[in-house]
Amino acid sequence: MAETQDNLLQKIKDQGDLVRKLKAAKESSGKIQEEVSKLLALKAQLGSEDAAPSKFVLKTPKGTRDYNPQQMTIRNNVLQKIITVFKRHGAECIDTPVFELKEVLTGKYGEDSKLIYDLKDQGGEILSLRYDLTVPLARYLAMNKINNLKRYHIAKVYRRDNPAMTRGRYREFYQCDFDIAGQYDLMVPDAECLLVVTEILNSLDIGKYVLKVNHRRLLDGMFETCGVPADKFRSTCSTVDKLDKSPWEEVRTEMINEKGVTPEAADRIGEYVRLNGSSELADKLLQDEKLSKNKSAVEGLEGIKLLLHYCELYGIKDKILFDLSLARGLDYYTGVIYEAVLTQPIKIGNEDQTVGSIAGGGRYDNLVGMFDSKNKQVPCVGVSIGVERIFSVLEAKLAAGDISVRTSDIDVYVASAQKNFLEERMKICAELWNAGIKTEQSYKKNPKMLNQLQHCEENGIPLAVILGESELKRGLVKIRNITTRQEDEIPRDNLVEELKSRIEVLDIKEMNGPIRK
Amino acid sequence: MAETQDNLLQKIKDQGDLVRKLKAAKESSGKIQEEVSKLLALKAQLGSEDAAPSKFVLKTPKGTRDYNPQQMTIRNNVLQKIITVFKRHGAECIDTPVFELKEVLTGKYGEDSKLIYDLKDQGGEILSLRYDLTVPLARYLAMNKINNLKRYHIAKVYRRDNPAMTRGRYREFYQCDFDIAGQYDLMVPDAECLLVVTEILNSLDIGKYVLKVNHRRLLDGMFETCGVPADKFRSTCSTVDKLDKSPWEEVRTEMINEKGVTPEAADRIGEYVRLNGSSELADKLLQDEKLSKNKSAVEGLEGIKLLLHYCELYGIKDKILFDLSLARGLDYYTGVIYEAVLTQPIKIGNEDQTVGSIAGGGRYDNLVGMFDSKNKQVPCVGVSIGVERIFSVLEAKLAAGDISVRTSDIDVYVASAQKNFLEERMKICAELWNAGIKTEQSYKKNPKMLNQLQHCEENGIPLAVILGESELKRGLVKIRNITTRQEDEIPRDNLVEELKSRIEVLDIKEMNGPIRK
């Protein structure tokens, strides 16, 4: 059986090579289609091999991973801090299905659409896995005819990207979004989104950061005055977006060679995108000979000025940088855009690691309308926190021994030094669980004392109840403090009360949560 | 464009009808394949129509739904109670990807495999959405060579079933699993799983229930003594499993006509499966002429006896019913199996609703070994809580007005009676957020007083800070209690302190959590 399977895998590989060769040689689509059919038939054969434990590599799918208890503790701790901020601002929680009708996602992501995961057509609807949480939100608002909503949504999204897993980039990853939908006054909800980002980054304590802001209307106006045709605004935008990773020269070349921007226009763009500053820069650009005559650019600049003013009122002006090179990749933004970037490398063990962008978002006023039959708009602005990057920094710190985590909350371990105490242990455990005390015991009938105490030490369990024949005859049990190794004899009948008062003291020490230095 | 799309949809529908007709008429597979290819080509055309707002029905995929803020509040509240129980027993949290290599799922679910969602082959690995959380756990244990783990896992799973959404059955639904993996003494972890179920059902307060238990070894022994061939044990098991929904006569007919069991064997099975009771029944069956001679049956009965004894020590014996008709559908169980069933209909408004099974699980000792190249086993036992049914009961109670939920946690609303107070409101909001107070304000520059107070009432916000020109001149602000409508003037400088002490009193009243009568 394994032999047949291996043969089949080899045949599939060969056929795949053939198809790629034909495509590379630009053979006729008929011929390619014929060989693709053969390939699919071979793969179908593979799927129908309903054999049990055949030899295959035991792994998670490419670009995905399991979260073990330590990673989940870090994750839950980070998300809890973020949710606290979201709720402090009155956000409600929603959730949507992991897949959507493919049509819902079609035409929303520009060049990135090729990264969408599709489900197999199994005779029902045509479905795709969600690519972000923003398009599902827009679909949700339009479908339920909701005009106002401040919501957060924390869920996994899916992108068939080339994963760089060491830097926290996966094909399956958490997004953590906060959005405000509704027809409101200019920049008021937008400024609150920026404040939310600062509150979150401050509470996570991951070092200094800057919040870059820009405006899509300003970018449009800038492209227009530089001589880019209107139908090339969005694709030029995606190219400008690469400036955080590539030098201007490369971006310029891509603009000219791939996006059809003239060298002169590209050079004019190049002058603008190296500018950044504060509201003084906005004032200066409002005097710029060309931009000041462009309606779109003026609208963007006035917007930035108002946003910066509100940020000052919110006490976060020193965190904000107006940066003309910020473009954001996605098509759907229509107004302010922003991105939080860590400005210092993070120390992990003895090494410095550069993290970069850690949150991003912006205004998208036309997305909900794309789902409404009458094209009714619901203006939206929101932000997405890059929690995967935060997770991967903390995981690296854990691996380097900079932090430690406790993965279980158990306060009391019920142990016995002698044989045949399982039933007595069970009765005591039941009593403690009933009293709400987080309790564990060995699942073995006659565990060794050493193993039981070792389990307590390895798992950071602070207290052990130790049962012994002589004590029980006198109506007593022992409580052992695992750290100090001190043991006290306690009347069996006072056990719950005594443990509760000891745990209360412990809890005060652990108030800072599961992640500890 | 919409015209073309509609035409295409019609063509797809027609072609689909044709394929179904050919299949029904059992035409040659070549002919069917030809028409299927045409259908796929048409569907592909649909996918590539990268047109923007085309006309399509705005919906979530079949069998799925969004969770709105009220539903999420109910969901989070229920899950929080369940997690509290899991953690009280020392369970750690893990997560796995939403999809697995298809091979991981192959051969694990018996007849239910047809319900697995596959992903489209996009030139990479062949993937399927997870069907439950048990097989991913087994894959995780084998892959990481873990021999001991007590973990919980709460995540969505996917089944292409025919949804009965009103009864809480969806194609995408939460599972909520607690499992203990490791080589331990007989029935010790198994009994704790049953205790965990009772603690959860008690904490959720959803009425009376019974925990049915049975043993796969007893079922096997029973089938053997009744004359069912060994290769039909599993499929006969799936048929017996239908006894909770169908009468014996129907189950008997399916056994004989579809599973190839002889009428005599079926009748003998029929005698056994109507039995239920407590440890006395186990004792009686150990005296049964046929069962007492069957090694497998005796092993099952001895196991049940020990389990019931441990349940007595845990104080939950009155909740347990040994029931020979309990079979469980899945193939992988090897030992004890159990299912919690509500024994009373739940009152929703003026109507009674029957809920039925609400948790289930059992022992599966051979599943991890299926993933190990040396077939190394890690025995496991676990339970899955049917949270979707619990959600749907609570949602129905909400709809009937039996309970109410508050979807946001906001304590303070910052309002203004006059125009041009946005900036002042912003400064106060920033101050309150900084102090950790859950605060909201209108995103409009000049909102109407009435609308602001209405927002507080609709969202259960208990306190409002009201800004007015005359008060501010005197260094004062007003605090309004939304329920009593009492207003007090407070020095602006004492605002944070004053609000905090008022909120402290509120919090005591709200300690019971977001779901309130």
Side-chain angles (χ1 to χ4, degrees):
Chain A
M1 173 58 74
E3 175 64 19
T4 321
Q5 186 88 347
D6 285 352
N7 274 347
L8 193 56
L9 287 170
Q10 188 57 48
K11 277 189 195 164
I12 289 172
K13 192 177 166 299
D14 294 346
Q15 187 68 21
D17 289 343
L18 176 61
V19 168
R20 274 182 289 277
K21 227 161 72 183
L22 293 175
K23 281 185 180 169
K26 305 210 185 241
E27 285 280 351
S28 78
S29 72
K31 188 165 175 65
I32 292 175
Q33 196 48 53
E34 195 185 316
E35 297 301 328
V36 167
S37 301
K38 283 185 200 162
L39 177 60
L40 289 178
L42 283 169
K43 286 192 178 177
Q45 230 175 303
L46 189 68
S48 68
E49 301 271 328
D50 216 349
S54 66
K55 270 202 289 176
F56 66 90
V57 183
L58 209 52
K59 64 187 283 294
T60 59
K62 183 179 177 188
T64 69
R65 60 165 173 172
D66 298 315
Y67 285 83
N68 67 30
Q70 290 195 319
Q71 291 164 327
M72 281 306 280
T73 305
I74 286 175
R75 169 193 167 276
N76 287 334
N77 192 53
V78 167
L79 293 182
Q80 202 44 59
K81 286 181 179 173
I82 294 173
I83 291 171
T84 300
V85 175
F86 289 163
K87 287 194 162 184
R88 194 188 300 145
H89 288 262
E92 300 176 307
C93 184
I94 71 160
D95 198 12
T96 62
V98 79
F99 41 61
E100 296 275 350
L101 299 184
K102 186 174 172 59
E103 303 162 298
V104 168
L105 306 189
T106 302
K108 308 298 184 304
Y109 299 109
E111 295 177 5
D112 288 344
S113 295
K114 62 180 183 296
L115 303 181
I116 293 173
Y117 276 95
D118 293 329
L119 268 74
K120 188 169 157 185
D121 179 2
Q122 290 174 292
E125 297 160 331
I126 308 293
L127 307 174
S128 301
L129 295 186
R130 63 183 162 210
Y131 182 84
D132 65 8
L133 303 177
T134 310
V135 168
L137 170 65
R139 192 265 306 145
Y140 173 84
L141 293 172
M143 184 174 130
N144 297 292
K145 306 207 178 301
I146 295 169
N147 296 319
N148 300 289
L149 182 69
K150 178 161 54 183
R151 81 88 178 86
Y152 71 92
H153 189 182
I154 297 174
K156 288 177 176 174
V157 302
Y158 300 87
R159 300 184 183 178
R160 293 177 51 254
D161 217 334
N162 274 326
M165 295 192 281
T166 48
R167 297 192 298 129
R169 282 176 66 111
Y170 294 87
R171 289 183 160 201
E172 173 186 59
F173 59 97
Y174 277 97
Q175 275 199 342
C176 197
D177 282 19
F178 172 91
D179 291 77
I180 301 171
Q183 183 70 58
Y184 299 121
D185 277 303
L186 219 57
M187 293 298 163
V188 184
D190 314 55
E192 188 166 332
C193 287
L194 293 180
L195 180 59
V196 162
V197 173
T198 64
E199 286 185 21
I200 287 170
L201 296 183
N202 293 345
S203 82
L204 292 175
D205 193 22
I206 45 167
K208 291 195 176 165
Y209 59 89
V210 64
L211 257 167
K212 297 182 183 175
V213 302
N214 199 2
H215 201 295
R216 273 284 166 94
R217 300 287 288 150
L218 171 57
L219 283 169
D220 287 351
M222 182 181 95
F223 293 146
E224 197 178 344
T225 60
C226 291
V228 178
D231 63 335
K232 287 178 179 146
F233 286 180
R234 282 291 84 82
S235 61
T236 311
C237 219
S238 334
T239 306
V240 170
D241 186 54
K242 294 178 181 164
L243 273 175
D244 59 339
K245 291 187 194 83
S246 314
W248 166 249
E249 270 314 309
E250 274 176 36
V251 169
R252 181 181 181 274
T253 309
E254 180 176 320
M255 270 187 199
I256 296 166
N257 295 350
E258 294 175 36
K259 305 299 162 87
V261 174
T262 65
E264 297 71 32
D267 289 334
R268 276 182 225 122
I269 292 171
E271 292 298 316
Y272 285 119
V273 295
R274 64 192 57 174
L275 301 176
N276 60 66
S278 60
S279 51
E280 288 76 35
L281 175 60
D283 284 328
K284 205 181 111 195
L285 291 174
L286 279 169
Q287 310 298 321
D288 181 278
E289 198 189 341
K290 282 175 183 159
L291 291 181
S292 62
K293 285 176 196 139
N294 182 286
K295 189 172 161 264
S296 174
V298 170
E299 196 186 314
L301 287 165
E302 297 285 4
I304 290 287
K305 275 189 66 175
L306 187 59
L307 180 71
L308 294 174
H309 176 56
Y310 288 157
C311 287
E312 193 170 0
L313 292 171
Y314 276 155
I316 56 167
K317 198 191 170 191
D318 59 319
K319 304 274 200 284
I320 314 280
L321 180 73
F322 169 34
D323 186 333
L324 276 84
S325 74
L326 178 72
R328 306 278 302 157
L330 293 171
D331 275 9
Y332 51 60
Y333 292 118
T334 55
V336 63
I337 48 177
Y338 37 80
E339 203 165 291
V341 181
L342 296 195
T343 51
Q344 288 179 324
I346 289 188
K347 196 152 203 87
I348 291 167
N350 292 319
E351 287 180 28
D352 281 344
Q353 192 182 308
T354 308
V355 175
S357 171
I358 204 143
R363 175 162 286 282
Y364 49 101
D365 285 348
N366 300 334
L367 192 57
V368 179
M370 289 171 79
F371 293 108
D372 189 87
S373 53
K374 287 168 191 152
N375 206 33
K376 188 175 164 298
Q377 301 296 353
V378 179
C380 296
V381 64
V383 65
S384 187
I385 309 295
V387 282
E388 292 289 345
R389 296 209 173 174
I390 298 167
F391 297 160
S392 75
V393 165
L394 291 176
E395 282 173 29
K397 278 180 180 259
L398 181 70
D402 298 346
I403 55 169
S404 66
V405 301
R406 198 181 153 199
T407 56
S408 114
D409 289 355
I410 290 298
D411 288 323
V412 177
Y413 191 88
V414 178
S416 163
Q418 287 140 313
K419 285 200 170 185
N420 301 321
F421 267 81
L422 173 62
E423 301 201 351
E424 198 57 38
R425 282 195 276 128
M426 281 182 150
K427 278 192 254 174
I428 289 189
C429 281
E431 205 178 315
L432 303 191
W433 283 322
N434 244 326
I437 297 173
K438 296 169 201 146
T439 308
E440 236 180 5
Q441 64 158 334
S442 169
Y443 293 122
K444 297 201 172 173
K445 265 180 144 165
N446 298 310
K448 291 191 182 125
M449 195 64 204
L450 190 65
N451 292 347
Q452 295 174 84
L453 293 180
Q454 219 163 26
H455 179 92
C456 293
E457 277 170 19
E458 281 166 7
N459 293 281
I461 300 173
L463 298 172
V465 173
I466 299 175
L467 307 185
E469 207 168 353
S470 70
E471 290 90 355
L472 276 178
K473 271 186 187 151
R474 290 179 288 141
L476 301 173
V477 292
K478 265 193 267 184
I479 298 183
R480 180 183 171 111
N481 182 310
I482 298 295
T483 319
T484 65
R485 301 189 177 186
Q486 192 189 314
E487 294 187 349
D488 301 307
E489 287 186 347
I490 302 289
R492 166 80 173 79
D493 293 343
N494 296 353
L495 183 59
V496 164
E497 205 180 309
E498 179 66 28
L499 286 172
K500 278 194 168 178
S501 70
R502 291 191 182 211
I503 291 164
E504 213 171 305
V505 186
L506 293 169
D507 274 348
I508 294 166
K509 289 198 211 125
E510 290 192 32
M511 281 290 264
N512 290 326
I515 294 183
R516 293 179 299 183
K517 179 80 189 173
Chain B
M1 175 56 75
E3 174 64 17
T4 321
Q5 185 89 349
D6 284 351
N7 275 345
L8 194 54
L9 286 171
Q10 188 56 46
K11 278 187 195 164
I12 289 172
K13 192 176 164 300
D14 294 345
Q15 187 67 22
D17 289 343
L18 177 59
V19 168
R20 273 182 290 277
K21 227 162 72 185
L22 293 176
K23 281 184 181 170
K26 304 207 186 234
E27 284 280 351
S28 78
S29 72
K31 189 166 173 66
I32 292 174
Q33 195 48 53
E34 196 185 317
E35 298 301 330
V36 167
S37 302
K38 282 186 200 162
L39 178 61
L40 290 177
L42 283 168
K43 286 193 178 178
Q45 229 176 307
L46 190 69
S48 68
E49 300 269 327
D50 216 349
S54 65
K55 270 202 289 176
F56 65 90
V57 182
L58 210 51
K59 64 186 283 295
T60 60
K62 183 180 176 189
T64 70
R65 60 165 175 173
D66 297 316
Y67 285 83
N68 67 29
Q70 290 194 319
Q71 291 164 327
M72 282 305 279
T73 306
I74 286 175
R75 169 194 165 277
N76 287 334
N77 192 55
V78 167
L79 293 182
Q80 202 44 60
K81 286 181 180 174
I82 294 173
I83 291 170
T84 299
V85 176
F86 289 163
K87 286 193 164 185
R88 194 188 298 145
H89 288 262
E92 300 177 306
C93 182
I94 72 161
D95 198 11
T96 63
V98 79
F99 41 61
E100 296 276 348
L101 299 183
K102 185 173 172 59
E103 303 163 299
V104 168
L105 306 189
T106 301
K108 308 297 185 303
Y109 300 108
E111 295 177 4
D112 288 344
S113 294
K114 63 181 183 294
L115 303 181
I116 293 173
Y117 276 97
D118 293 330
L119 268 77
K120 189 169 158 184
D121 179 2
Q122 290 174 295
E125 297 160 330
I126 308 293
L127 307 174
S128 301
L129 296 186
R130 63 182 162 210
Y131 182 86
D132 65 8
L133 303 177
T134 311
V135 168
L137 170 64
R139 192 265 307 146
Y140 174 84
L141 293 172
M143 183 175 133
N144 297 291
K145 306 209 177 297
I146 295 168
N147 297 318
N148 299 289
L149 183 68
K150 178 161 55 184
R151 80 89 179 83
Y152 71 92
H153 189 184
I154 297 174
K156 288 177 177 173
V157 301
Y158 299 87
R159 300 184 184 178
R160 294 177 51 254
D161 217 334
N162 275 327
M165 295 192 281
T166 46
R167 296 193 300 132
R169 282 176 66 110
Y170 293 88
R171 289 183 159 199
E172 173 186 60
F173 58 98
Y174 277 96
Q175 276 199 342
C176 198
D177 283 18
F178 171 91
D179 292 78
I180 301 171
Q183 183 70 57
Y184 298 121
D185 278 301
L186 217 58
M187 294 297 163
V188 185
D190 314 55
E192 188 165 334
C193 287
L194 293 181
L195 180 60
V196 162
V197 173
T198 64
E199 286 184 22
I200 287 170
L201 296 183
N202 294 345
S203 82
L204 292 174
D205 195 21
I206 45 166
K208 290 196 176 166
Y209 59 90
V210 64
L211 256 166
K212 297 182 184 175
V213 302
N214 199 0
H215 200 293
R216 273 285 165 92
R217 299 287 289 149
L218 171 58
L219 284 168
D220 287 352
M222 183 180 95
F223 293 146
E224 199 178 343
T225 58
C226 291
V228 178
D231 63 335
K232 286 176 181 150
F233 285 0
R234 283 292 83 83
S235 62
T236 310
C237 218
S238 335
T239 306
V240 170
D241 186 53
K242 293 177 183 165
L243 273 175
D244 59 338
K245 291 187 194 81
S246 315
W248 166 249
E249 270 314 310
E250 273 176 37
V251 170
R252 181 181 181 276
T253 308
E254 182 176 318
M255 268 187 202
I256 296 167
N257 295 350
E258 291 175 38
K259 304 299 161 88
V261 173
T262 65
E264 297 72 32
D267 289 335
R268 275 182 227 124
I269 294 171
E271 292 299 316
Y272 285 119
V273 296
R274 66 191 57 175
L275 300 176
N276 60 64
S278 61
S279 51
E280 287 75 36
L281 175 61
D283 283 327
K284 204 182 112 193
L285 291 173
L286 279 169
Q287 310 298 321
D288 181 279
E289 197 190 338
K290 282 176 183 160
L291 291 181
S292 62
K293 286 176 196 139
N294 183 287
K295 189 170 162 267
S296 175
V298 169
E299 196 187 312
L301 287 164
E302 296 286 3
I304 290 287
K305 275 190 66 176
L306 187 60
L307 180 71
L308 293 175
H309 176 57
Y310 288 157
C311 286
E312 193 170 1
L313 293 171
Y314 277 154
I316 55 167
K317 200 192 170 190
D318 59 320
K319 304 272 201 287
I320 313 282
L321 180 74
F322 170 34
D323 186 333
L324 274 83
S325 75
L326 178 72
R328 305 278 304 155
L330 292 171
D331 275 8
Y332 51 60
Y333 291 119
T334 55
V336 63
I337 47 178
Y338 36 82
E339 204 165 291
V341 180
L342 296 195
T343 49
Q344 288 178 323
I346 291 188
K347 195 150 205 86
I348 291 166
N350 293 320
E351 287 182 26
D352 281 344
Q353 193 182 305
T354 308
V355 174
S357 170
I358 205 142
R363 174 162 285 283
Y364 48 101
D365 285 348
N366 300 334
L367 192 57
V368 178
M370 290 172 80
F371 293 108
D372 189 87
S373 53
K374 288 169 192 151
N375 205 33
K376 187 176 163 299
Q377 301 295 356
V378 178
C380 295
V381 63
V383 64
S384 187
I385 309 296
V387 283
E388 292 290 345
R389 296 213 172 171
I390 298 167
F391 297 160
S392 75
V393 165
L394 291 175
E395 282 173 29
K397 278 179 178 264
L398 181 70
D402 297 346
I403 55 169
S404 68
V405 300
R406 200 184 152 198
T407 56
S408 114
D409 290 354
I410 291 299
D411 288 321
V412 177
Y413 192 88
V414 178
S416 163
Q418 287 141 314
K419 284 200 171 183
N420 301 320
F421 267 81
L422 173 63
E423 301 201 352
E424 197 58 37
R425 281 195 277 127
M426 281 182 150
K427 278 192 254 175
I428 287 189
C429 281
E431 206 178 313
L432 302 191
W433 284 322
N434 245 325
I437 296 173
K438 296 168 201 148
T439 307
E440 238 181 3
Q441 65 158 333
S442 170
Y443 293 122
K444 297 202 172 172
K445 265 179 144 165
N446 298 309
K448 289 186 184 133
M449 194 64 204
L450 189 65
N451 292 347
Q452 295 175 83
L453 293 180
Q454 219 162 25
H455 179 91
C456 294
E457 277 170 20
E458 282 167 6
N459 293 279
I461 301 173
L463 299 171
V465 172
I466 300 176
L467 307 184
E469 206 165 356
S470 71
E471 289 90 356
L472 276 177
K473 271 184 189 155
R474 291 180 287 140
L476 300 173
V477 291
K478 264 195 268 184
I479 298 183
R480 179 183 171 111
N481 182 310
I482 297 296
T483 319
T484 65
R485 300 188 177 186
Q486 191 187 315
E487 295 188 348
D488 303 305
E489 287 188 347
I490 303 289
R492 164 80 173 79
D493 294 341
N494 295 354
L495 182 59
V496 165
E497 205 180 311
E498 178 67 27
L499 286 172
K500 278 194 168 178
S501 68
R502 291 190 182 211
I503 290 166
E504 213 170 307
V505 186
L506 293 170
D507 274 349
I508 294 166
K509 289 198 211 125
E510 291 193 31
M511 280 291 263
N512 290 327
I515 295 183
R516 292 178 300 185
K517 179 81 189 172

